[in-house]
Amino acid sequence: MADETPGVRMLVVEDDRALSEIVCEELRARGHLAVAAESVADGLEHLKRSEFEVALVDLMLPDGSGIDILKRIAEEGLPTEAILLTGYATVDTAIQAMKLGAYDYVTKPARMEELEALVAKAAEKSRLRRENAHLRRRLEGHAPADGIVGEDAAMRELLATVERVAPSDLPVLIQGESGTGKELIARAVHRLSARAAHPFVAINCGAVPESLLESELFGHEKGAFTGALLRKPGLFEVADKGVLFLDEVGAASPSVQARLLRAIETSEFLRVGGARPVRTDVRLISATNKNVKAEMAEGRFREDLYDRLNGVTLKLPPLRERKGDIALLARHFLDRVAPRKRLSPRAIEALQAYAWPGNVRELQMVMQRAAILGQGEVLDAPDLPLDARDQNWKTVAVKTGLSLAEMEREYIETVLRQNDGHRGKTARALGIDPKTLYNKLGPERPRKKT
Ligand SMILES: Nc1ncnc2c1ncn2[C@@H]1O[C@H](COP(=O)(O)OP(=O)(O)OP(=O)(O)O)[C@@H](O)[C@H]1O
Ligand SMILES: [Mg+2]
Protein backbone atom coordinates (compact mmCIF):
# COMPACT_ATOMS: atom_id res chain seq x y z
CA MET A 1 0.00 0.00 0.00
CA ALA A 2 2.84 2.36 0.99
CA ASP A 3 4.31 2.34 -2.51
CA GLU A 4 0.95 3.33 -4.01
CA THR A 5 0.74 6.44 -1.86
CA PRO A 6 1.89 9.45 -3.80
CA GLY A 7 4.56 11.58 -2.19
CA VAL A 8 3.58 13.57 0.86
CA ARG A 9 3.61 17.37 0.61
CA MET A 10 5.90 18.40 3.45
CA LEU A 11 7.06 21.61 5.02
CA VAL A 12 10.31 21.40 6.96
CA VAL A 13 10.80 24.30 9.37
CA GLU A 14 14.32 24.07 10.72
CA ASP A 15 16.92 26.79 11.20
CA ASP A 16 19.87 24.44 11.19
CA ARG A 17 20.56 24.58 7.48
CA ALA A 18 22.78 21.53 7.29
CA LEU A 19 20.20 19.41 9.11
CA SER A 20 17.36 20.85 7.05
CA GLU A 21 19.15 20.02 3.82
CA ILE A 22 19.84 16.43 4.82
CA VAL A 23 16.28 15.86 5.94
CA CYS A 24 14.80 17.45 2.80
CA GLU A 25 17.06 15.43 0.55
CA GLU A 26 16.21 12.19 2.34
CA LEU A 27 12.51 12.98 2.08
CA ARG A 28 12.75 13.79 -1.61
CA ALA A 29 14.72 10.58 -2.20
CA ARG A 30 11.70 8.78 -0.74
CA GLY A 31 9.39 10.43 -3.21
CA HIS A 32 8.02 13.23 -1.04
CA LEU A 33 7.78 16.89 -1.86
CA ALA A 34 9.78 18.81 0.72
CA VAL A 35 9.84 22.58 1.11
CA ALA A 36 12.28 24.16 3.54
CA ALA A 37 11.61 27.16 5.81
CA GLU A 38 14.05 28.66 8.32
CA SER A 39 11.91 30.58 10.78
CA VAL A 40 8.44 30.83 12.26
CA ALA A 41 7.58 33.74 9.96
CA ASP A 42 8.91 31.92 6.94
CA GLY A 43 6.98 28.74 7.87
CA LEU A 44 3.69 30.62 8.39
CA GLU A 45 4.16 32.33 5.04
CA HIS A 46 4.49 28.96 3.31
CA LEU A 47 1.44 27.58 5.12
CA LYS A 48 -0.56 30.56 3.97
CA ARG A 49 0.43 30.11 0.35
CA SER A 50 0.00 26.39 -0.14
CA GLU A 51 -1.36 23.30 1.48
CA PHE A 52 0.90 20.81 3.23
CA GLU A 53 -0.10 17.44 4.60
CA VAL A 54 2.71 17.27 7.11
CA ALA A 55 4.90 19.93 8.71
CA LEU A 56 8.13 18.92 10.39
CA VAL A 57 8.77 21.73 12.85
CA ASP A 58 11.79 22.51 14.97
CA LEU A 59 10.83 23.64 18.46
CA MET A 60 13.55 26.29 18.87
CA LEU A 61 13.54 28.76 16.01
CA PRO A 62 15.32 32.13 15.77
CA ASP A 63 12.15 34.22 15.84
CA GLY A 64 10.01 32.08 18.17
CA SER A 65 8.84 28.60 18.95
CA GLY A 66 7.53 25.81 16.74
CA ILE A 67 4.51 25.92 19.05
CA ASP A 68 3.47 29.15 17.28
CA ILE A 69 3.18 27.22 14.07
CA LEU A 70 1.08 24.54 15.77
CA LYS A 71 -1.24 27.20 17.10
CA ARG A 72 -1.73 28.73 13.68
CA ILE A 73 -2.53 25.33 12.17
CA ALA A 74 -5.17 24.76 14.83
CA GLU A 75 -6.63 28.28 14.55
CA GLU A 76 -7.02 28.12 10.81
CA GLY A 77 -8.21 24.51 10.82
CA LEU A 78 -5.52 23.58 8.27
CA PRO A 79 -5.41 19.93 7.24
CA THR A 80 -1.72 19.85 8.16
CA GLU A 81 -0.38 17.41 10.74
CA ALA A 82 2.68 18.65 12.61
CA ILE A 83 5.60 16.59 13.85
CA LEU A 84 7.89 18.43 16.23
CA LEU A 85 11.63 18.13 16.02
CA THR A 86 13.23 18.82 19.30
CA GLY A 87 16.69 18.80 20.69
CA TYR A 88 15.31 19.43 24.15
CA ALA A 89 13.14 16.41 24.71
CA THR A 90 11.53 17.53 27.87
CA VAL A 91 8.28 15.85 28.74
CA ASP A 92 6.70 19.26 29.33
CA THR A 93 7.15 20.64 25.84
CA ALA A 94 6.10 17.33 24.32
CA ILE A 95 2.88 17.31 26.35
CA GLN A 96 2.19 20.94 25.58
CA ALA A 97 2.71 20.26 21.90
CA MET A 98 0.43 17.23 21.88
CA LYS A 99 -2.27 19.24 23.63
CA LEU A 100 -2.04 21.78 20.88
CA GLY A 101 -2.67 19.06 18.39
CA ALA A 102 0.81 18.02 17.28
CA TYR A 103 0.76 14.59 15.69
CA ASP A 104 3.96 13.47 17.44
CA TYR A 105 7.46 14.58 18.20
CA VAL A 106 10.94 13.20 17.51
CA THR A 107 14.17 14.01 19.24
CA LYS A 108 17.22 15.08 17.35
CA PRO A 109 19.14 13.44 15.88
CA ALA A 110 16.17 11.79 14.24
CA ARG A 111 16.54 8.37 12.66
CA MET A 112 15.28 8.56 9.10
CA GLU A 113 13.33 5.26 9.28
CA GLU A 114 11.51 6.43 12.37
CA LEU A 115 10.73 9.76 10.78
CA GLU A 116 9.55 8.15 7.55
CA ALA A 117 7.08 5.89 9.40
CA LEU A 118 5.77 8.86 11.36
CA VAL A 119 5.39 10.97 8.21
CA ALA A 120 3.39 8.22 6.48
CA LYS A 121 0.99 7.95 9.42
CA ALA A 122 0.62 11.70 9.82
CA ALA A 123 -0.08 12.05 6.09
CA GLU A 124 -2.80 9.40 6.30
CA LYS A 125 -4.42 11.31 9.15
CA SER A 126 -4.26 14.52 7.20
CA ARG A 127 -5.89 12.82 4.23
CA LEU A 128 -8.74 11.48 6.40
CA ARG A 129 -9.28 14.90 7.85
CA ARG A 130 -9.47 16.40 4.41
CA GLU A 131 -11.88 13.75 3.12
CA ASN A 132 -14.21 14.12 6.06
CA ALA A 133 -14.14 17.90 5.75
CA HIS A 134 -15.04 17.45 2.10
CA LEU A 135 -18.02 15.22 2.95
CA ARG A 136 -19.17 17.77 5.48
CA ARG A 137 -18.95 20.62 3.00
CA ARG A 138 -21.04 18.63 0.54
CA LEU A 139 -23.61 18.04 3.27
CA GLU A 140 -23.78 21.72 4.12
CA GLY A 141 -24.00 22.72 0.50
CA HIS A 142 -26.83 20.48 -0.50
CA ALA A 143 -28.90 19.23 2.41
CA PRO A 144 -32.18 21.13 2.32
CA ALA A 145 -32.87 22.90 5.59
CA ASP A 146 -35.06 20.04 6.67
CA GLY A 147 -32.17 17.61 6.96
CA ILE A 148 -32.90 15.32 4.05
CA VAL A 149 -29.68 14.03 2.57
CA GLY A 150 -29.92 13.17 -1.10
CA GLU A 151 -27.39 13.94 -3.79
CA ASP A 152 -27.89 10.87 -5.86
CA ALA A 153 -29.59 11.67 -9.17
CA ALA A 154 -32.79 9.76 -8.33
CA MET A 155 -33.03 11.48 -4.93
CA ARG A 156 -32.44 14.93 -6.37
CA GLU A 157 -35.20 14.36 -8.85
CA LEU A 158 -37.48 13.14 -6.09
CA LEU A 159 -36.73 16.16 -3.90
CA ALA A 160 -37.39 18.46 -6.84
CA THR A 161 -40.77 16.77 -7.29
CA VAL A 162 -41.48 17.20 -3.58
CA GLU A 163 -40.88 20.93 -3.89
CA ARG A 164 -43.04 21.12 -6.98
CA VAL A 165 -46.06 19.20 -5.70
CA ALA A 166 -45.98 20.26 -2.05
CA PRO A 167 -47.80 23.59 -2.54
CA SER A 168 -50.67 21.94 -4.42
CA ASP A 169 -53.38 19.97 -2.67
CA LEU A 170 -52.71 16.80 -4.66
CA PRO A 171 -52.81 13.59 -2.68
CA VAL A 172 -49.38 11.98 -2.55
CA LEU A 173 -48.55 8.28 -2.51
CA ILE A 174 -45.06 7.43 -1.30
CA GLN A 175 -43.63 4.05 -2.18
CA GLY A 176 -40.43 2.58 -0.91
CA GLU A 177 -38.94 -0.28 1.05
CA SER A 178 -38.92 -0.17 4.81
CA GLY A 179 -36.56 2.46 6.22
CA THR A 180 -36.06 4.41 2.99
CA GLY A 181 -37.39 7.68 4.42
CA LYS A 182 -41.09 7.65 3.51
CA GLU A 183 -42.23 9.43 6.65
CA LEU A 184 -39.42 11.97 6.35
CA ILE A 185 -40.63 12.82 2.84
CA ALA A 186 -44.28 12.95 3.95
CA ARG A 187 -43.36 15.50 6.62
CA ALA A 188 -41.37 17.51 4.10
CA VAL A 189 -44.41 17.71 1.81
CA HIS A 190 -46.47 18.99 4.73
CA ARG A 191 -43.82 21.50 5.78
CA LEU A 192 -43.53 22.90 2.27
CA SER A 193 -47.28 23.10 1.76
CA ALA A 194 -49.85 25.79 2.48
CA ARG A 195 -51.11 23.50 5.26
CA ALA A 196 -47.84 23.73 7.20
CA ALA A 197 -49.47 25.72 10.00
CA HIS A 198 -52.11 23.03 10.44
CA PRO A 199 -51.62 19.57 11.89
CA PHE A 200 -49.69 16.66 10.41
CA VAL A 201 -51.46 13.61 11.79
CA ALA A 202 -50.00 10.16 11.19
CA ILE A 203 -51.50 6.75 11.60
CA ASN A 204 -49.91 3.41 10.81
CA CYS A 205 -52.67 1.30 9.27
CA GLY A 206 -50.55 -1.81 9.67
CA ALA A 207 -49.92 -1.36 13.38
CA VAL A 208 -53.48 -0.75 14.55
CA PRO A 209 -55.88 -3.71 14.80
CA GLU A 210 -58.56 -3.61 12.14
CA SER A 211 -61.47 -2.99 14.52
CA LEU A 212 -59.66 -0.05 16.08
CA LEU A 213 -58.43 1.44 12.83
CA GLU A 214 -61.94 2.35 11.77
CA SER A 215 -62.76 4.22 14.95
CA GLU A 216 -59.32 5.84 14.99
CA LEU A 217 -59.80 7.26 11.52
CA PHE A 218 -63.45 8.20 11.72
CA GLY A 219 -64.08 8.45 15.44
CA HIS A 220 -67.10 7.04 17.19
CA GLU A 221 -70.24 8.22 18.95
CA LYS A 222 -70.83 7.61 22.60
CA GLY A 223 -72.12 4.06 23.08
CA ALA A 224 -71.25 2.99 19.51
CA PHE A 225 -69.77 -0.21 20.93
CA THR A 226 -68.91 -1.64 24.29
CA GLY A 227 -66.24 0.56 25.80
CA ALA A 228 -67.18 3.63 23.74
CA LEU A 229 -67.97 5.68 26.81
CA LEU A 230 -67.48 9.05 25.22
CA ARG A 231 -67.71 10.47 21.78
CA LYS A 232 -64.32 10.40 20.12
CA PRO A 233 -63.32 12.52 17.12
CA GLY A 234 -61.69 10.68 14.25
CA LEU A 235 -58.27 11.57 12.86
CA PHE A 236 -60.05 12.95 9.81
CA GLU A 237 -61.38 15.63 12.16
CA VAL A 238 -58.17 16.05 14.12
CA ALA A 239 -56.24 16.66 10.89
CA ASP A 240 -58.80 19.16 9.57
CA LYS A 241 -57.10 21.78 7.35
CA GLY A 242 -53.88 19.83 7.68
CA VAL A 243 -52.42 16.57 6.44
CA LEU A 244 -53.46 13.03 7.29
CA PHE A 245 -50.60 10.60 6.77
CA LEU A 246 -51.82 7.06 6.14
CA ASP A 247 -48.74 4.96 6.72
CA GLU A 248 -48.77 1.39 5.38
CA VAL A 249 -52.07 2.12 3.69
CA GLY A 250 -51.77 -1.25 1.91
CA ALA A 251 -52.59 -2.93 5.21
CA ALA A 252 -56.06 -1.36 5.48
CA SER A 253 -58.88 -3.92 5.38
CA PRO A 254 -61.53 -3.88 2.61
CA SER A 255 -64.06 -2.25 4.90
CA VAL A 256 -61.65 0.53 5.92
CA GLN A 257 -60.74 0.98 2.27
CA ALA A 258 -64.41 1.42 1.39
CA ARG A 259 -64.89 4.03 4.11
CA LEU A 260 -61.73 5.85 3.10
CA LEU A 261 -62.94 6.04 -0.47
CA ARG A 262 -66.29 7.50 0.59
CA ALA A 263 -64.66 10.05 2.85
CA ILE A 264 -62.38 11.20 0.06
CA GLU A 265 -65.10 11.35 -2.56
CA THR A 266 -67.59 13.27 -0.45
CA SER A 267 -65.24 15.20 1.86
CA GLU A 268 -67.36 13.96 4.73
CA PHE A 269 -67.73 10.83 6.81
CA LEU A 270 -69.80 9.25 9.54
CA ARG A 271 -68.38 8.51 12.95
CA VAL A 272 -68.73 4.87 13.94
CA GLY A 273 -72.25 4.56 15.32
CA GLY A 274 -73.10 8.04 14.08
CA ALA A 275 -75.73 9.19 11.64
CA ARG A 276 -74.73 12.81 11.05
CA PRO A 277 -72.04 13.40 8.41
CA VAL A 278 -68.96 15.31 9.51
CA ARG A 279 -67.25 17.56 6.99
CA THR A 280 -63.53 17.32 6.60
CA ASP A 281 -60.80 19.11 4.71
CA VAL A 282 -57.61 17.09 4.75
CA ARG A 283 -54.84 16.45 2.31
CA LEU A 284 -53.96 12.79 2.22
CA ILE A 285 -50.42 11.51 2.05
CA SER A 286 -50.13 7.73 2.01
CA ALA A 287 -47.17 5.44 2.19
CA THR A 288 -46.64 1.81 1.43
CA ASN A 289 -43.73 -0.58 1.30
CA LYS A 290 -45.79 -3.03 -0.72
CA ASN A 291 -46.07 -3.16 -4.45
CA VAL A 292 -49.53 -1.60 -4.81
CA LYS A 293 -49.92 -2.69 -8.40
CA ALA A 294 -49.42 -6.32 -7.37
CA GLU A 295 -51.79 -5.84 -4.42
CA MET A 296 -54.44 -4.54 -6.81
CA ALA A 297 -53.86 -7.37 -9.27
CA GLU A 298 -54.50 -9.82 -6.46
CA GLY A 299 -57.60 -7.97 -5.37
CA ARG A 300 -56.25 -6.84 -2.02
CA PHE A 301 -56.30 -3.16 -2.79
CA ARG A 302 -59.14 -1.22 -4.43
CA GLU A 303 -58.21 0.34 -7.69
CA ASP A 304 -60.62 3.25 -7.26
CA LEU A 305 -59.06 4.06 -3.90
CA TYR A 306 -55.59 3.85 -5.40
CA ASP A 307 -56.63 6.39 -8.04
CA ARG A 308 -57.80 8.74 -5.30
CA LEU A 309 -54.67 8.42 -3.20
CA ASN A 310 -52.30 8.62 -6.09
CA GLY A 311 -52.41 12.22 -7.26
CA VAL A 312 -48.69 11.84 -7.58
CA THR A 313 -46.41 8.93 -6.72
CA LEU A 314 -43.04 9.45 -5.11
CA LYS A 315 -40.78 6.41 -5.33
CA LEU A 316 -37.97 6.20 -2.83
CA PRO A 317 -35.12 4.08 -4.15
CA PRO A 318 -33.61 1.52 -1.77
CA LEU A 319 -30.31 2.63 -0.29
CA ARG A 320 -28.33 0.02 -2.24
CA GLU A 321 -29.43 1.82 -5.40
CA ARG A 322 -28.07 5.19 -4.27
CA LYS A 323 -24.57 4.25 -3.27
CA GLY A 324 -23.42 7.83 -3.78
CA ASP A 325 -25.47 8.91 -0.78
CA ILE A 326 -24.15 6.27 1.62
CA ALA A 327 -21.01 8.14 2.71
CA LEU A 328 -22.96 11.39 3.05
CA LEU A 329 -25.70 9.79 5.13
CA ALA A 330 -23.09 8.06 7.29
CA ARG A 331 -21.36 11.40 7.93
CA HIS A 332 -24.75 13.03 8.58
CA PHE A 333 -25.72 10.47 11.23
CA LEU A 334 -22.22 10.41 12.76
CA ASP A 335 -22.27 14.21 13.08
CA ARG A 336 -25.34 13.96 15.29
CA VAL A 337 -23.71 11.64 17.83
CA ALA A 338 -19.95 11.93 17.41
CA PRO A 339 -18.97 14.85 15.19
CA ARG A 340 -15.28 14.45 15.98
CA LYS A 341 -15.05 10.85 14.82
CA ARG A 342 -13.85 10.24 11.31
CA LEU A 343 -14.47 7.43 8.86
CA SER A 344 -11.55 5.61 7.29
CA PRO A 345 -11.62 5.00 3.53
CA ARG A 346 -11.96 1.28 4.25
CA ALA A 347 -14.98 1.97 6.45
CA ILE A 348 -16.60 3.94 3.64
CA GLU A 349 -15.85 1.10 1.22
CA ALA A 350 -17.43 -1.41 3.61
CA LEU A 351 -20.54 0.77 3.97
CA GLN A 352 -20.87 1.05 0.22
CA ALA A 353 -20.41 -2.68 -0.34
CA TYR A 354 -23.11 -3.63 2.15
CA ALA A 355 -26.61 -4.40 0.83
CA TRP A 356 -28.62 -2.43 3.48
CA PRO A 357 -31.73 -4.60 3.80
CA GLY A 358 -32.97 -2.10 6.42
CA ASN A 359 -32.07 0.90 4.26
CA VAL A 360 -31.42 4.35 5.77
CA ARG A 361 -32.80 3.41 9.16
CA GLU A 362 -30.30 0.56 9.39
CA LEU A 363 -27.46 2.88 8.38
CA GLN A 364 -28.52 5.27 11.12
CA MET A 365 -28.43 2.45 13.69
CA VAL A 366 -25.06 1.24 12.46
CA MET A 367 -23.53 4.71 12.80
CA GLN A 368 -25.02 5.22 16.25
CA ARG A 369 -23.68 1.90 17.46
CA ALA A 370 -20.30 2.38 15.80
CA ALA A 371 -19.97 5.77 17.51
CA ILE A 372 -20.45 4.10 20.87
CA LEU A 373 -18.43 0.96 20.23
CA GLY A 374 -15.54 2.41 18.21
CA GLN A 375 -12.68 3.29 20.55
CA GLY A 376 -10.45 5.61 18.58
CA GLU A 377 -11.17 8.80 16.72
CA VAL A 378 -11.15 6.97 13.39
CA LEU A 379 -13.86 4.43 12.66
CA ASP A 380 -12.48 1.63 10.56
CA ALA A 381 -14.32 -1.18 8.75
CA PRO A 382 -14.13 -3.65 11.67
CA ASP A 383 -15.73 -1.04 13.96
CA LEU A 384 -18.94 -1.12 11.93
CA PRO A 385 -21.59 -3.52 13.22
CA LEU A 386 -22.76 -4.61 9.79
CA ASP A 387 -25.07 -7.58 9.77
CA ALA A 388 -22.93 -10.71 9.60
CA ARG A 389 -25.72 -12.54 7.83
CA ASP A 390 -25.25 -10.35 4.86
CA GLN A 391 -21.53 -10.91 4.65
CA ASN A 392 -22.00 -14.67 4.90
CA TRP A 393 -24.74 -14.47 2.40
CA LYS A 394 -22.98 -16.49 -0.24
CA THR A 395 -21.60 -19.12 2.15
CA VAL A 396 -23.75 -22.20 2.42
CA ALA A 397 -22.58 -25.48 3.86
CA VAL A 398 -23.01 -28.26 1.34
CA LYS A 399 -24.05 -31.57 2.84
CA THR A 400 -23.72 -34.85 1.02
CA GLY A 401 -26.26 -37.67 1.11
CA LEU A 402 -29.22 -35.42 0.36
CA SER A 403 -31.47 -35.76 -2.63
CA LEU A 404 -31.67 -32.74 -4.89
CA ALA A 405 -35.17 -32.02 -3.61
CA GLU A 406 -34.02 -32.21 0.02
CA MET A 407 -31.09 -29.99 -0.74
CA GLU A 408 -33.38 -27.46 -2.38
CA ARG A 409 -35.72 -27.56 0.58
CA GLU A 410 -32.84 -26.97 3.00
CA TYR A 411 -31.50 -24.14 0.93
CA ILE A 412 -34.89 -22.45 0.69
CA GLU A 413 -35.32 -22.78 4.47
CA THR A 414 -31.90 -21.19 5.00
CA VAL A 415 -32.67 -18.22 2.78
CA LEU A 416 -36.10 -17.92 4.41
CA ARG A 417 -34.43 -17.70 7.83
CA GLN A 418 -31.96 -15.12 6.55
CA ASN A 419 -34.99 -13.07 5.53
CA ASP A 420 -36.76 -13.43 8.86
CA GLY A 421 -39.44 -15.61 7.30
CA HIS A 422 -40.43 -12.95 4.78
CA ARG A 423 -41.56 -14.84 1.70
CA GLY A 424 -41.50 -11.95 -0.74
CA LYS A 425 -37.89 -11.13 0.08
CA THR A 426 -36.97 -14.81 0.01
CA ALA A 427 -38.43 -15.25 -3.46
CA ARG A 428 -36.52 -12.19 -4.63
CA ALA A 429 -33.27 -13.45 -3.11
CA LEU A 430 -33.78 -16.82 -4.80
CA GLY A 431 -34.65 -15.17 -8.08
CA ILE A 432 -37.97 -16.99 -8.35
CA ASP A 433 -41.58 -15.93 -8.51
CA PRO A 434 -43.43 -15.73 -5.14
CA LYS A 435 -45.94 -18.21 -6.56
CA THR A 436 -43.19 -20.71 -7.32
CA LEU A 437 -41.98 -20.33 -3.75
CA TYR A 438 -45.52 -20.89 -2.53
CA ASN A 439 -45.76 -24.10 -4.56
CA LYS A 440 -42.51 -25.34 -3.10
CA LEU A 441 -43.31 -24.50 0.50
CA GLY A 442 -47.06 -24.85 0.73
CA PRO A 443 -49.35 -22.35 2.49
CA GLU A 444 -47.79 -19.97 4.94
CA ARG A 445 -48.22 -20.82 8.56
CA PRO A 446 -50.52 -18.20 10.08
CA ARG A 447 -48.59 -15.24 11.38
CA LYS A 448 -49.36 -13.92 14.80
CA LYS A 449 -51.78 -11.06 14.70
CA THR A 450 -51.01 -7.77 16.38
N1 LIG B 1 -32.49 11.04 2.97
C1 LIG B 1 -32.40 11.04 4.31
N2 LIG B 1 -31.66 11.97 4.94
C2 LIG B 1 -31.56 11.98 6.28
N3 LIG B 1 -32.17 11.11 7.09
C3 LIG B 1 -32.94 10.15 6.53
C4 LIG B 1 -33.09 10.07 5.11
N4 LIG B 1 -33.91 9.04 4.84
C5 LIG B 1 -34.27 8.49 6.01
N5 LIG B 1 -33.69 9.15 7.04
C6 LIG B 1 -33.84 8.80 8.46
O1 LIG B 1 -33.92 7.39 8.54
C7 LIG B 1 -34.92 6.98 9.45
C8 LIG B 1 -36.00 6.16 8.74
O2 LIG B 1 -36.77 7.01 7.90
P1 LIG B 1 -38.37 6.91 7.82
O3 LIG B 1 -38.96 6.59 9.15
O4 LIG B 1 -38.86 8.13 7.14
O5 LIG B 1 -38.47 5.64 6.86
P2 LIG B 1 -39.78 4.84 6.40
O6 LIG B 1 -39.61 4.60 4.95
O7 LIG B 1 -40.99 5.55 6.85
O8 LIG B 1 -39.59 3.47 7.17
P3 LIG B 1 -40.72 2.36 7.50
O9 LIG B 1 -41.15 1.76 6.21
O10 LIG B 1 -39.94 1.38 8.33
O11 LIG B 1 -41.82 3.05 8.24
C9 LIG B 1 -35.46 8.23 10.09
O12 LIG B 1 -34.77 8.49 11.29
C10 LIG B 1 -35.15 9.31 9.06
O13 LIG B 1 -34.99 10.57 9.66
MG1 LIG C 1 -42.46 4.88 8.22
Side-chain angles (χ1 to χ4, degrees), residues 3 22 27 32 36 40 67 97 105 114 146 153-154 174 277 284 297 308 317 346 372 374 397:
D3 44 18
I22 295 173
L27 288 170
H32 303 307
V40 172
I67 301 277
Y105 69 100
E114 185 192 350
D146 32 27
I174 306 172
L284 285 174
R308 288 292 186 164
R346 278 201 310 169
I372 295 165

Side-chain angles (χ1 to χ4, degrees), residues 147-149 178-184 329 332-333 360-361 364:
I148 302 175
V149 177
S178 175
T180 46
K182 295 186 294 296
E183 180 156 354
L184 193 69
L329 280 163
H332 171 73
F333 292 132
V360 184
R361 175 176 297 112
Q364 185 174 21

Side-chain angles (χ1 to χ4, degrees), residues 252-317:
S253 68
S255 105
V256 170
Q257 289 183 33
R259 281 187 96 125
L260 273 174
L261 184 64
R262 273 196 61 76
I264 298 169
E265 283 177 339
T266 61
S267 295
E268 54 184 39
F269 62 94
L270 299 177
R271 297 196 191 100
V272 176
R276 198 169 45 85
V278 182
R279 290 212 59 82
T280 173
D281 166 26
V282 298
R283 180 185 194 180
L284 285 174
I285 302 182
S286 332
T288 174
N289 54 24
K290 295 190 179 163
N291 180 341
V292 207
K293 293 251 163 73
E295 294 284 295
M296 283 191 294
E298 299 191 16
R300 278 196 294 271
F301 202 81
R302 294 181 69 126
E303 242 174 296
D304 43 9
L305 178 59
Y306 172 80
D307 288 339
R308 288 292 186 164
L309 296 177
N310 178 33
V312 56
T313 292
L314 300 174
K315 278 211 174 86
L316 275 165

Side-chain angles (χ1 to χ4, degrees), residues 318-382:
L319 189 54
R320 62 184 172 280
E321 285 172 20
R322 35 176 157 140
K323 291 211 183 296
D325 282 351
I326 293 177
L328 282 176
L329 280 163
R331 184 69 256 165
H332 171 73
F333 292 132
L334 200 55
D335 274 348
R336 291 195 188 165
V337 285
R340 296 170 66 92
K341 282 200 201 281
R342 292 192 298 278
L343 288 158
S344 78
R346 278 201 310 169
I348 292 178
E349 265 171 41
L351 291 171
Q352 283 169 340
Y354 183 65
W356 301 108
N359 292 297
V360 184
R361 175 176 297 112
E362 187 183 2
L363 175 57
Q364 185 174 21
M365 303 274 289
V366 164
M367 295 323 295
Q368 279 168 356
R369 269 189 280 160
I372 295 165
L373 299 174
Q375 297 289 319
E377 55 178 321
V378 176
L379 291 179
D380 203 357

Side-chain angles (χ1 to χ4, degrees), residues 23 38 46 64 161 176 200 211 283 294 359 364 381 414-415 440:
V23 171
E38 292 184 5
H46 276 291
T161 311
F200 176 92
S211 54
R283 180 185 194 180
N359 292 297
Q364 185 174 21
T414 306
V415 178
K440 288 181 187 294

Side-chain angles (χ1 to χ4, degrees), residues 143-216:
D146 32 27
I148 302 175
V149 177
E151 268 214 64
D152 182 273
M155 280 302 286
R156 281 199 191 203
E157 205 173 300
L158 185 124
L159 292 173
T161 311
V162 166
E163 281 181 31
R164 213 173 49 242
V165 302
S168 76
D169 246 350
L170 277 178
V172 178
L173 179 66
I174 306 172
Q175 292 193 45
E177 287 179 15
S178 175
T180 46
K182 295 186 294 296
E183 180 156 354
L184 193 69
I185 293 292
R187 289 182 184 275
V189 171
H190 171 247
R191 199 169 31 242
L192 297 171
S193 78
R195 294 172 178 261
H198 300 284
F200 176 92
V201 176
I203 178 155
N204 186 331
C205 305
V208 182
E210 193 196 322
S211 54
L212 262 181
L213 183 58
E214 231 164 318
S215 71
E216 281 293 315

